[in-house]
Amino acid sequence: MATAKAHTNIALVKYWGKKDQDMIIPQTDSLSLTLDEFYTTTKVTFDDQLSSDQVSINSNLLGDQASQKVRNFLDLVRKMSGTTAFARVESQNHVPTAAGLASSASAFAALAGAASRAAGLNLDRRDLSRLARRGSGSATRSIYGGLVEWQRGHDDATSYAKPIMEEVDFGLEMLAIMVDTTAKKISSRFGMQQSVASSPYYKVWPEIVAHDMAAIKEAIAARNIDAIGEIAETNALRMHALTLSAEPGFTYFDSDTLKAMRAVRALRDNGIHCYFTMDAGPNVKVIYDRQDRQSIFKALATEFGADRLVVSKPGPGIKIWND
Ligand code: ADP
Ligand code: DP6
């Protein structure tokens, strides 16, 4: 039996597309910020008395279909460790599930940590990152705190995350505008597959990401939040252009997403430095320097209500313990 706590991460340069669906090898590198406010805690118990895996999220027992990904992941851990017992998985999401706030990142990082430890494997962080990747691509990065790069690699051995700056030593912060926290209709997995398969613009995406990765690493080294924000905002819009240009086209935005994007740009026009990014969901994350937190929060609270805003500092890497 073991428990792990992993935090979500939000990509500043997005992962959007796989080369290998089964191994989850991405088309490109990506780079994210781990957040302290959103996380998943997962306890895994291998138990000879069980006749099947039992998975609960927030105390709700999942049915066969909903637990499929987790059971496949447990099969992988059983294969690696030689364990034959089924497992009880008890997971608590301190993040809305499947709403574009990266629940799959914290969920599969925590599951990788708890299941591997409970099965008697003692993986280092690189191997944990590789294992988490098999559950969900973005989980690869949630093993580490702070600013993290996922190097795409070319196979299972070479595709893993690396910390860029685990202890963020400058004022970078993120505020989530919770536009809608209900589960999305189009999963990231399906959405990115559609984009790769049918957007005529997908062929330039790897070039865009290569450019943005180099630029954002320079901006991080210079602790330049404006440059980081500009790169992240442009990269997010270009990722979302891949959904709009798929066949059939689709979008994760709703009308309040556009309202939030406009609000951020209006703040910027008024001299307050802040930038937006969106993932596979309607919620908007604002990037800024902590010294501007109060003015940004105040302005956005009048438009969206303070109860829909969550301020997040950079968060830590995974913690695993034996109960
Ligand atoms: P998100 O934007 O929240 O990451 P995704 O569609 O990428 O949304 O992933 C959501 C999926 O992740 C859920 O449908 C579920 O399969 C899985 N998931 C979320 N939380 C957990 C958890 N705590 N334990 C296991 N799987 C989870
Ligand atoms: C928009 O990691 O959820 O958040 O690998 O299929 O599980 P799967 O997808 P997932 O996709 C994340 C997409 C994103 C961008 C990012 O996190 O880099």
Side-chain angles (χ1 to χ4, degrees):
M1 169 190 309
T3 303
K5 179 179 181 188
H7 290 249
T8 63
N9 70 79
I10 297 298
L12 301 171
V13 176
K14 310 290 186 194
Y15 145 57
W16 196 248
K18 297 177 182 66
K19 274 215 163 109
D20 180 331
Q21 308 293 330
D22 181 40
M23 281 290 163
I24 312 198
I25 308 298
Q27 293 269 356
T28 68
D29 299 336
S30 55
L31 189 143
S32 60
L33 178 68
T34 300
L35 300 182
D36 72 339
E37 272 302 310
F38 298 118
Y39 56 90
T40 297
T41 306
T42 298
K43 179 173 174 173
V44 174
T45 314
F46 285 100
D47 183 344
D48 288 327
Q49 306 298 312
L50 292 173
S51 53
S52 62
D53 290 320
Q54 288 182 11
V55 184
S56 68
I57 302 181
N58 299 340
S59 305
N60 297 312
L61 194 63
L62 302 188
D64 272 1
Q65 209 184 332
S67 64
Q68 183 73 54
K69 269 199 219 168
V70 173
R71 290 184 291 114
N72 290 347
F73 191 86
L74 291 168
D75 284 342
L76 204 66
V77 174
R78 276 189 281 263
K79 209 168 157 191
M80 285 169 71
S81 64
T83 310
T84 51
F86 288 110
R88 194 174 310 107
V89 176
E90 296 157 279
S91 189
Q92 296 288 331
N93 276 347
H94 297 265
V95 53
T97 303
L101 286 153
S103 69
S104 68
S106 53
F108 281 98
L111 184 63
S116 60
R117 178 73 68 87
L121 296 167
N122 211 354
L123 303 181
D124 63 17
R125 294 207 296 174
R126 176 182 294 187
D127 285 344
L128 265 181
S129 171
R130 290 176 47 232
L131 177 60
R133 194 197 75 235
R134 303 288 298 275
S136 181
S138 50
T140 311
R141 300 182 305 242
S142 267
I143 300 303
Y144 297 98
L147 290 157
V148 184
E149 174 184 10
W150 174 13
Q151 299 186 333
R152 66 188 184 283
H154 51 81
D155 60 9
D156 179 40
T158 54
S159 188
Y160 51 82
K162 272 183 158 178
I164 295 275
M165 191 188 282
E166 277 227 84
E167 296 291 331
V168 177
D169 62 5
F170 60 109
L172 185 65
E173 254 182 34
M174 223 179 240
L175 179 157
I177 307 175
M178 311 293 248
V179 165
D180 183 357
T181 55
T182 55
K184 65 185 95 169
K185 290 184 191 73
I186 302 175
S187 69
S188 326
R189 188 152 298 183
F190 182 73
M192 66 175 79
Q193 220 170 328
Q194 285 286 94
S195 301
V196 177
S198 64
S199 168
Y201 307 146
Y202 196 83
K203 52 178 166 308
V204 291
W205 177 246
E207 265 170 59
I208 291 169
V209 173
H211 170 271
D212 289 350
M213 285 296 293
I216 206 162
K217 282 190 207 169
E218 263 181 46
I220 290 167
R223 277 104 175 125
N224 184 342
I225 294 177
D226 285 309
I228 293 171
E230 275 166 24
I231 296 161
E233 187 173 301
T234 305
N235 181 271
L237 289 171
R238 289 181 173 165
M239 179 207 116
H240 287 277
L242 298 173
T243 73
L244 291 165
S245 55
E247 209 174 312
F250 62 100
T251 185
Y252 291 104
F253 296 173
D254 73 18
S255 52
D256 275 352
T257 311
L258 298 175
K259 192 173 147 192
M261 288 157 67
R262 271 199 290 270
V264 170
R265 288 201 160 155
L267 278 167
R268 214 148 75 210
D269 290 342
N270 287 323
I272 300 172
H273 297 223
C274 54
Y275 304 85
F276 57 71
T277 185
M278 292 78 54
D279 291 287
N283 299 303
V284 175
K285 291 77 146 192
V286 186
I287 300 156
Y288 56 91
D289 188 324
R290 65 175 167 247
Q291 71 184 14
D292 295 319
R293 182 197 306 146
Q294 270 188 320
S295 40
I296 292 169
F297 191 96
K298 214 170 131 202
L300 294 175
T302 53
E303 210 163 336
F304 296 95
D307 56 335
R308 288 168 76 191
L309 307 181
V310 182
V311 169
S312 203
K313 299 188 177 93
I318 191 168
K319 289 187 183 63
I320 309 170
W321 61 94
N322 290 98
D323 295 273

